[in-house]
Amino acid sequence: MATHAEQLTATTTTAARPAVQLRELTRSFDGRKVLDGVDLDIPAGQFVALLGHSGSGKSTLLRAVAGLDHEVVGSGRLTAPARVSVVFQDSRLLPWRRVLDNVLLGAEGRAAAAKGREALAEVGLKGRERAWPNELSGGEAQRAALARSLVREPELLLADEPFGALDALTRIRMHALLRQLWERHRPSVLLVTHDVDEAIVLADRVLVLEQGRIGLDLAIDRPHPRSYRDPLLGEYRERLLAALGVTADHQ
Ligand code: ADP
Ligand code: MG
């Protein structure tokens, strides 16, 4: 058995090595810098939200971290875990595959199928394994997308406005589900959103991307589950809105 000192060292080592590390990450399109030397560390298991105006470069940053942007290589330093899952605003389910087959995406065998069923049950889709994607509501399709990301047991979950197309009530349910899944599996999460309330109700740390850099890095130190009505969240909301350049006159 490990001694207490050894355990401490192991814990410290894990905590000291961030899951995501960006140094001076830069990305230009047609000579225009969208990311201008982004520095960011995300510790393993942290739930982070990234806010920013439309066009500020949120998706560009997420795509780089996801390894989907091959041209960003060499523009700085980027470290990310090996197992990364990405969820987008639309579920991207393949219409010609049933829900379970979408979740499995190529993985075969009984063990994989069992894992897929388990993931579907976790997101509240037990019994819908054989449904076609076009038989699902928008919220159900996003649940299926979350199940598909879960079966890969990601160390890092990247989500690009995953609830942006959902109605307000469905969105609130999905917030609770995402937080629950995070508590059970503890991946690092980078959630891109333009919704300040979504960021502060879900994340333990909120970043604001402005002019190609992280302009504000705010720890949200409130217990979960959080209520939009918590007056202390109001203070965080004010700070984030101010960083986004939204003043009381604009609201
Ligand atoms: P956000 O997700 O914050 O709304 P994006 O990261 O999608 O912003 O885009 C940031 C800027 O980069 C925008 O001006 C967008 O037009 C530009 N951009 C993004 N991807 C490309 C691309 N593949 N080619 C040219 N310009 C792009
Ligand atoms: Mg975007």
Side-chain angles (χ1 to χ4, degrees):
M1 216 180 94
T3 65
H4 184 56
E6 277 165 350
Q7 280 171 356
L8 263 185
T9 316
T11 316
T12 316
T13 315
T14 319
R17 187 155 37 92
V20 175
Q21 193 164 49
L22 309 181
R23 288 290 173 276
E24 285 289 314
L25 194 79
T26 300
R27 181 63 161 109
S28 303
F29 295 108
D30 311 317
R32 196 169 51 90
K33 268 190 186 162
V34 172
L35 302 179
D36 188 10
V38 175
D39 288 326
L40 174 64
D41 281 359
I42 301 180
Q46 192 172 56
F47 196 134
V48 180
L50 177 66
L51 282 170
H53 286 280
S54 175
S56 58
K58 303 183 296 297
S59 296
T60 302
L61 181 62
L62 180 131
R63 285 174 53 79
V65 176
L68 295 171
D69 181 353
H70 302 296
E71 289 175 46
V72 84
V73 175
S75 77
R77 212 151 48 85
L78 190 162
T79 317
R83 288 196 314 278
V84 179
S85 289
V86 193
V87 181
F88 296 97
Q89 182 165 343
D90 60 300
S91 65
R92 304 198 178 186
L93 299 175
L94 302 173
W96 58 88
R97 287 183 185 221
R98 294 183 191 272
V99 167
L100 180 60
D101 293 334
N102 260 289
V103 168
L104 298 178
L105 263 193
E108 284 179 17
R110 235 184 248 180
K115 245 167 99 180
R117 284 174 194 284
E118 198 181 309
L120 280 170
E122 266 196 79
V123 300
L125 287 181
K126 193 171 164 52
R128 307 303 303 277
E129 294 84 357
R130 293 187 51 77
W132 296 103
N134 69 7
E135 294 167 352
L136 302 181
S137 68
E140 287 171 332
Q142 283 307 73
R143 285 172 190 265
L146 277 176
R148 185 181 51 194
S149 71
L150 273 184
V151 292
R152 283 165 184 68
E153 297 177 2
E155 297 159 88
L156 172 64
L157 176 66
L158 298 169
D160 195 349
E161 313 222 15
F163 313 131
L166 304 177
D167 66 82
L169 287 178
T170 308
R171 202 179 310 144
I172 289 171
R173 283 208 199 99
M174 294 298 284
H175 289 166
L177 173 64
L178 178 59
R179 188 71 200 185
Q180 218 176 63
L181 293 173
W182 174 79
E183 270 163 20
R184 213 172 294 149
H185 300 274
R186 294 280 166 162
S188 313
V189 175
L190 182 60
L191 168 75
V192 164
T193 176
H194 58 249
D195 181 340
V196 174
D197 286 325
E198 179 167 290
I200 54 180
V201 103
L202 280 176
D204 297 312
R205 177 182 177 199
V206 182
L207 312 170
V208 177
L209 190 60
E210 52 184 19
Q211 288 168 355
R213 289 167 188 242
I214 307 298
L216 179 65
D217 185 342
L218 189 62
I220 312 287
D221 190 14
R222 299 293 300 152
H224 289 272
R226 293 178 186 158
S227 157
Y228 289 107
R229 290 181 296 276
D230 180 345
L232 286 172
L233 284 183
E235 293 172 22
Y236 293 112
R237 184 181 299 116
E238 292 307 315
R239 285 194 62 184
L240 289 164
L241 286 172
L244 288 161
V246 182
T247 61
D249 313 342
H250 294 117
Q251 289 177 57

